[in-house]
Amino acid sequence: MKVPFIDLKRAHDPIRGEILEAFARTLDHGEFCLGTEVSNFETGFAAVQGLSCVVGVGSGTEALHLIACALELGPEDEVIVPAFTFIASAWLPEYVGAKLVFADIDPETYTIDPKSIESNATEKTKAIVATHLFGLPADMDSIQRIADQLGAKVVEDAAQAHMAKYKGRPVGEIGDAGAFSFYPTKNLGGLGEGGCVSSKNSALLEKVAILRAHGSKERYLNHFVGYNNRMEGLQAAALNVKLPYLEAKTERRREIADKYAQGIILQNAVLPHEPNWGRSVFHMYTLQHPDRDRLKTYLAEKGIGTDIVYPYPLHLQPCFADRGYGVGSFPESEKLAKHCLSLPIVPELTDAEVDYVIESINAFS
Ligand SMILES: *Cc1c(COP(=O)(O)O)cnc(C)c1O
C-alpha cells in the first residue's frame, strides 16, 4: 500500500467543478486584487474561525511582516521567537531590523517555553512570537503574563492552527495580533500563496489593511510607506470553495490523530501530547524516536510517506550564524530536530491507510 504524506490532487479532485466555477465567476467580474472574493473570504474565514475580523494578504509571511510594521517594531527592539518553528516566525523581527532573540521550546508541547522566554527577556523585549506549532496552541496565559510584566506585545503565529482553540477560545485574537497562512499544504490552503492578519484591535487591523495596499487610504494618496501585499481574487475564490469543508476536515485530522494515539505501540517513541489548555488541529502528527532516520527509511520501504519537520532548529540556521548561538544553546529544540518524524495526517487518508501506518510502525524493530 502507498500512503502519501501530502496529496493535494486527492484533496482537490472532489471539488474541482466548484473551483472552476469560482474561477469563472472571478473571470466574469474581474476583481483580481482584493475585491468581492477577498472581502467574502475575510468575512467567511473570521466567522468560521470565531474572530471578529481579518485582513487578507498575500501570504503568512506577509502577515507577520505587516504585524511587525503595524506594531512599529524597529532597531531598538528585541523580539523573542521560538528556536523550533518554521523560519518565517523569525522573519518578523528580521524584516523590520529588530533584534531576533530565541527561546527554547517545551519538550512536551513543542511550543515556546515560558520559562525560556523569561530567561531570555530584557528591558528591550517588545514582542513575543507565540507559534501554535503543528496545530497546538502555545501556553498563551503564561506567555501573556510575562508579556504584561515586560510591557511587550504577543503575536500569534497561527499559520498552522486554523480552528485551533486555547481554553475554548479561537487562536488569532488572544494575543495582540495573529498571522494565518493559506499556503496549499496548510490546514486551509489555496491554490497558491495567501494569508491573513487577525486582531481584536480594530485600529491595528485598519493599519494593516492600509499597509497591504501601498499605505494608501484614499486612491493615490499615500499616508504611510506601504507594500503590495494584497490577497488575490482567484486565491480567495478557491478558498471560498474550500472554507465550508474546513470544520469536517479538521475533525478528520483529530480522528486520525486519535487513531494514532490509540494504535501506535512502539518502544522509545514519544507521541504528541495535547495539554488540557489546547485543542490541536494536528497540522502535523509529529512523534519522536531516538532512531528516527532508520524509522523513516523503514516506513519509506513500506510505501509510507513521512517528513522531518523540522530538521534544523532556527538558532543553528546558516543565516543566523553570526547571532552568537551554537550547538547547546537550546537543547530541547536541538533534541526535537534530531528525533522528530511527522506521519501522514491529511484528512483525505482512508481508515485502511491509517491502520496500515499503525501496523507498519508497530512492526518496526
Ligand atoms: C507556513 C508558515 C508561515 C509562513 O506562511 P506562508 O504563507 O508560507 O508565507 C509562517 N509560520 C509558520 C509557523 C508556518 O508554518
Side-chain angles (χ1 to χ4, degrees):
M1 191 184 280
K2 279 226 172 310
V3 185
F5 182 67
I6 301 269
D7 188 344
L8 292 177
K9 184 162 158 46
R10 211 196 271 195
H12 292 131
D13 274 350
I15 51 169
R16 189 187 180 90
E18 278 185 84
I19 290 176
L20 291 175
E21 261 171 51
F23 281 180
R25 183 177 73 222
T26 311
L27 272 177
D28 286 339
H29 63 56
E31 294 169 36
F32 295 117
C33 302
L34 299 182
T36 321
E37 301 299 328
V38 173
S39 44
N40 286 347
F41 176 68
E42 288 170 335
T43 311
F45 181 68
V48 167
Q49 180 70 28
L51 302 172
S52 47
C53 187
V54 302
V55 172
V57 295
S59 68
T61 305
E62 290 178 6
L64 290 164
H65 178 209
L66 292 183
I67 289 169
C69 296
L71 293 176
E72 298 180 9
L73 298 170
E76 301 301 309
D77 307 323
E78 297 183 3
V79 178
I80 297 183
V81 174
F84 189 92
T85 172
F86 181 64
I87 188 78
S89 303
W91 295 153
L92 182 147
E94 288 296 301
Y95 285 176
V96 294
K99 184 177 176 197
L100 168 63
V101 175
F102 287 118
D104 211 348
I105 53 159
D106 171 80
E108 285 204 332
T109 66
Y110 311 163
T111 59
I112 194 165
D113 181 354
K115 291 190 294 295
S116 185
I117 297 176
E118 267 174 332
S119 53
N120 288 284
T122 74
E123 69 281 359
K124 289 185 165 179
T125 305
K126 286 289 143 45
I128 298 163
V129 178
T131 304
H132 304 312
L133 196 74
F134 302 153
L136 178 71
D139 183 0
M140 293 304 289
D141 282 349
S142 306
I143 295 167
Q144 190 65 55
R145 199 172 326 114
I146 298 165
D148 289 344
Q149 282 161 9
L150 294 166
K153 305 288 187 190
V154 177
V155 178
E156 295 175 68
D157 183 340
Q160 304 184 353
H162 319 73
M163 298 203 77
K165 299 258 177 16
Y166 174 81
K167 296 187 180 171
R169 295 161 68 193
V171 299
E173 274 182 10
I174 300 169
D176 292 278
F180 290 86
S181 165
F182 307 112
Y183 184 77
T185 57
K186 298 291 156 91
N187 287 27
L188 176 62
L191 306 187
E193 309 283 350
C196 75
V197 175
S198 58
S199 177
K200 59 198 167 205
N201 177 345
S202 56
L204 185 141
L205 272 190
E206 196 190 333
K207 194 157 174 197
V208 168
I210 293 166
L211 289 172
R212 79 174 160 179
H214 299 289
S216 162
K217 268 199 265 194
E218 209 178 297
R219 203 154 176 249
Y220 300 130
L221 187 61
N222 304 83
H223 301 269
F224 305 98
V225 173
Y227 304 90
N228 179 356
N229 285 169
R230 292 177 290 233
M231 180 178 256
E232 295 192 353
L234 284 169
Q235 288 312 327
L239 287 165
N240 282 329
V241 170
K242 293 180 77 173
L243 185 59
Y245 301 101
L246 178 61
E247 192 174 353
K249 297 267 182 195
T250 303
E251 282 312 315
R252 177 63 182 155
R253 280 179 187 268
R254 287 184 55 82
E255 197 175 85
I256 297 170
D258 204 46
K259 278 179 174 292
Y260 282 152
Q262 303 297 323
I264 295 174
I265 302 164
L266 177 62
Q267 235 192 354
N268 299 323
V270 179
L271 302 184
H273 167 71
E274 205 175 20
N276 54 13
W277 74 64
R279 179 187 184 272
S280 177
V281 292
F282 290 98
H283 175 61
M284 291 284 152
Y285 190 91
T286 303
L287 55 73
Q288 296 182 70
H289 194 276
D291 214 355
R292 186 267 314 273
D293 292 334
R294 208 166 57 80
L295 177 60
K296 181 170 176 37
T297 308
Y298 161 83
L299 290 173
E301 282 162 3
K302 294 267 177 193
I304 298 168
T306 60
D307 200 5
I308 297 171
V309 184
Y310 300 95
Y312 310 105
L314 299 192
H315 65 288
L316 300 181
Q317 290 286 355
C319 60
F320 300 135
D322 60 349
R323 307 303 168 90
Y325 298 109
V327 174
S329 297
F330 299 105
E332 298 301 341
S333 298
E334 291 167 29
K335 183 163 161 252
L336 185 57
K338 276 203 189 85
H339 292 173
C340 66
L341 188 66
S342 299
L343 304 183
I345 193 157
V346 290
E348 295 78 25
L349 292 178
T350 65
D351 283 348
E353 288 174 322
V354 176
D355 290 340
Y356 176 69
V357 174
I358 294 169
E359 279 161 31
S360 303
I361 290 178
N362 291 353
F364 177 70
S365 57

